[in-house]
Short mmCIF file of all heavy atoms in Angstrom, two decimals:
data_model
loop_
_atom_site.label_atom_id
_atom_site.label_comp_id
_atom_site.label_asym_id
_atom_site.label_seq_id
_atom_site.Cartn_x
_atom_site.Cartn_y
_atom_site.Cartn_z
N PHE H 32 24.47 -46.13 -28.41
CA PHE H 32 24.45 -44.79 -29.17
C PHE H 32 23.11 -44.39 -29.36
O PHE H 32 22.76 -43.16 -29.18
CB PHE H 32 25.29 -44.98 -30.41
CG PHE H 32 25.40 -43.73 -31.27
CD1 PHE H 32 26.17 -42.66 -30.82
CD2 PHE H 32 24.57 -43.56 -32.43
CE1 PHE H 32 26.20 -41.52 -31.52
CE2 PHE H 32 24.63 -42.42 -33.10
CZ PHE H 32 25.50 -41.33 -32.70
N PHE H 39 19.24 -37.32 -25.54
CA PHE H 39 19.51 -35.98 -25.98
C PHE H 39 18.37 -35.35 -26.79
O PHE H 39 17.96 -34.20 -26.58
CB PHE H 39 20.87 -35.92 -26.75
CG PHE H 39 22.01 -35.87 -25.93
CD1 PHE H 39 23.01 -36.85 -26.02
CD2 PHE H 39 22.25 -34.82 -24.99
CE1 PHE H 39 24.06 -36.84 -25.20
CE2 PHE H 39 23.37 -34.83 -24.20
CZ PHE H 39 24.37 -35.84 -24.32
N ILE H 49 13.47 -24.27 -21.06
CA ILE H 49 13.93 -23.62 -19.77
C ILE H 49 14.82 -22.38 -20.16
O ILE H 49 14.65 -21.37 -19.62
CB ILE H 49 14.66 -24.62 -18.93
CG1 ILE H 49 13.74 -25.72 -18.46
CG2 ILE H 49 15.33 -23.88 -17.78
CD1 ILE H 49 14.43 -26.80 -17.65
N GLU H 55 13.59 -14.83 -21.32
CA GLU H 55 12.43 -13.96 -21.59
C GLU H 55 12.41 -12.77 -20.60
O GLU H 55 12.35 -12.99 -19.40
CB GLU H 55 11.17 -14.68 -21.58
CG GLU H 55 10.01 -13.86 -22.00
CD GLU H 55 8.74 -14.74 -22.06
OE1 GLU H 55 8.78 -15.83 -22.47
OE2 GLU H 55 7.73 -14.16 -21.59
N THR H 85 -16.80 10.45 3.49
CA THR H 85 -17.33 9.77 2.32
C THR H 85 -17.20 10.70 1.11
O THR H 85 -16.93 10.32 0.03
CB THR H 85 -18.77 9.36 2.49
OG1 THR H 85 -18.92 8.50 3.56
CG2 THR H 85 -19.37 8.74 1.24
N LEU H 88 -13.27 10.20 0.35
CA LEU H 88 -12.82 8.86 0.11
C LEU H 88 -13.66 8.13 -0.97
O LEU H 88 -13.27 7.13 -1.54
CB LEU H 88 -12.81 8.03 1.37
CG LEU H 88 -11.79 8.60 2.39
CD1 LEU H 88 -11.82 7.69 3.64
CD2 LEU H 88 -10.45 8.72 1.84
N ALA H 97 -11.52 4.22 7.75
CA ALA H 97 -10.44 5.20 7.92
C ALA H 97 -10.60 5.80 9.35
O ALA H 97 -9.53 6.22 9.85
CB ALA H 97 -10.58 6.26 6.86
N TYR H 100 -10.75 7.19 15.67
CA TYR H 100 -11.28 7.52 16.99
C TYR H 100 -12.31 8.71 16.73
O TYR H 100 -11.95 9.62 16.02
CB TYR H 100 -10.08 7.95 17.93
CG TYR H 100 -10.58 8.18 19.30
CD1 TYR H 100 -10.89 7.17 20.19
CD2 TYR H 100 -10.68 9.56 19.85
CE1 TYR H 100 -11.29 7.47 21.54
CE2 TYR H 100 -11.02 9.83 21.07
CZ TYR H 100 -11.38 8.85 21.91
OH TYR H 100 -11.80 9.05 23.21
N GLU H 104 -15.23 15.10 23.68
CA GLU H 104 -15.18 16.39 24.31
C GLU H 104 -15.15 17.51 23.26
O GLU H 104 -15.56 18.68 23.52
CB GLU H 104 -13.85 16.53 25.19
CG GLU H 104 -13.87 15.72 26.37
CD GLU H 104 -13.49 14.19 26.08
OE1 GLU H 104 -12.77 14.03 25.13
OE2 GLU H 104 -13.89 13.37 26.91
N PHE H 108 -12.54 13.92 14.97
CA PHE H 108 -12.17 12.64 14.86
C PHE H 108 -10.79 12.43 14.32
O PHE H 108 -10.16 13.41 13.87
CB PHE H 108 -13.19 11.80 13.94
CG PHE H 108 -13.14 12.29 12.49
CD1 PHE H 108 -12.41 11.66 11.54
CD2 PHE H 108 -13.96 13.32 12.08
CE1 PHE H 108 -12.39 12.11 10.20
CE2 PHE H 108 -14.02 13.81 10.85
CZ PHE H 108 -13.13 13.27 9.85
N TYR H 130 -5.03 18.37 11.07
CA TYR H 130 -3.71 18.40 11.54
C TYR H 130 -3.13 17.00 11.53
O TYR H 130 -3.78 16.01 11.84
CB TYR H 130 -3.61 18.83 12.97
CG TYR H 130 -4.15 20.24 13.30
CD1 TYR H 130 -5.34 20.47 13.85
CD2 TYR H 130 -3.33 21.33 12.93
CE1 TYR H 130 -5.73 21.77 14.09
CE2 TYR H 130 -3.73 22.62 13.19
CZ TYR H 130 -5.01 22.77 13.71
OH TYR H 130 -5.38 24.12 13.95
N LYS H 139 11.84 12.46 25.63
CA LYS H 139 12.44 13.73 25.27
C LYS H 139 11.48 14.94 25.48
O LYS H 139 11.91 16.07 25.46
CB LYS H 139 12.90 13.74 23.76
CG LYS H 139 13.98 12.71 23.49
CD LYS H 139 14.36 12.69 22.10
CE LYS H 139 15.42 11.67 21.82
NZ LYS H 139 15.88 11.59 20.49
#
Side-chain angles (χ1 to χ4, degrees):
F32 182 73
F39 280 117
I49 291 174
E55 184 177 316
T85 299
L88 300 180
Y100 185 77
E104 294 80 23
F108 62 95
Y130 298 105
K139 296 182 181 178

